[in-house]
Amino acid sequence: MMEFSESRPIYMQVADYCFTCIMTHRWAPGERMPSVRELAVGLSVNTHTVLKALDFLRDLGVVEPRRGLGFFLTEDAPERVMQAKREEFFATVLPDIFERMDVLGITPEEIAEAYRKRK
C-alpha cells in the first residue's frame, strides 16, 4: 500500500510509482505492465485513478495500450521517464532552490563548491 501525499494528485503519485518501477528495472522495456486492476488493488486506489495515470504515461510515450492485452512499456521508456523527471526538476525543484539561495545569500559558486566536495 502506498502512502499518498496531499500535495500532489494521486494519479501523479501512481505515475511516479510506475516511473520508479521503470527506473529500477522492475519493469523492462517492451514488457507488459501489471493490469489496471492489479495496480489498483496493489496500490489501494480506484481503477479510474490508475487509468488516468496510464493516460499520462501514454501521452509521454512511456506506455502503449494493446487491445485485449493491456499496457506495455515502450522500448525507450527509461529514456522518456528520465527526460520527464529532468523536465520536472528544472520546472519545479530548481526554482525553489534558487529562491532559497536568494533568501540565504548563497551564490552559484558556493553551490558548485559544495557539489564538488560531496564526491
Side-chain angles (χ1 to χ4, degrees):
M1 185 167 164
M2 270 179 70
E3 295 283 328
F4 293 102
S5 165
E6 290 185 25
S7 64
R8 191 163 163 92
I10 292 175
Y11 85 93
M12 287 300 299
Q13 293 176 66
V14 171
D16 285 340
Y17 169 81
C18 295
F19 283 168
T20 298
C21 290
I22 294 165
M23 296 309 294
T24 59
H25 309 289
R26 277 197 350 209
W27 300 345
E31 183 178 276
R32 182 182 174 276
M33 294 178 55
S35 71
V36 171
R37 181 158 167 55
E38 290 170 326
L39 284 171
V41 169
L43 300 174
S44 299
V45 297
N46 187 294
T47 55
H48 294 289
T49 302
V50 172
L51 284 169
K52 189 169 182 178
L54 291 174
D55 282 344
F56 173 75
L57 295 176
R58 188 194 64 226
D59 291 345
L60 290 176
V62 173
V63 301
E64 57 188 12
R66 294 189 189 159
R67 188 178 204 112
L69 298 175
F71 284 87
F72 287 73
L73 295 180
T74 58
E75 291 299 328
D76 62 347
E79 293 82 8
R80 288 179 179 267
V81 168
M82 182 67 77
Q83 183 61 36
K85 294 309 281 181
R86 287 176 57 87
E87 288 173 9
E88 179 183 2
F89 175 82
F90 280 100
T92 62
V93 176
L94 206 51
D96 288 342
I97 291 171
F98 288 158
E99 186 174 322
R100 289 181 190 177
M101 287 172 61
D102 289 345
V103 167
L104 297 172
I106 297 172
T107 66
E109 293 77 19
E110 290 173 301
I111 294 295
E113 181 62 27
Y115 183 81
R116 280 191 292 279
K117 285 182 180 177
R118 76 169 182 83
K119 292 191 171 202

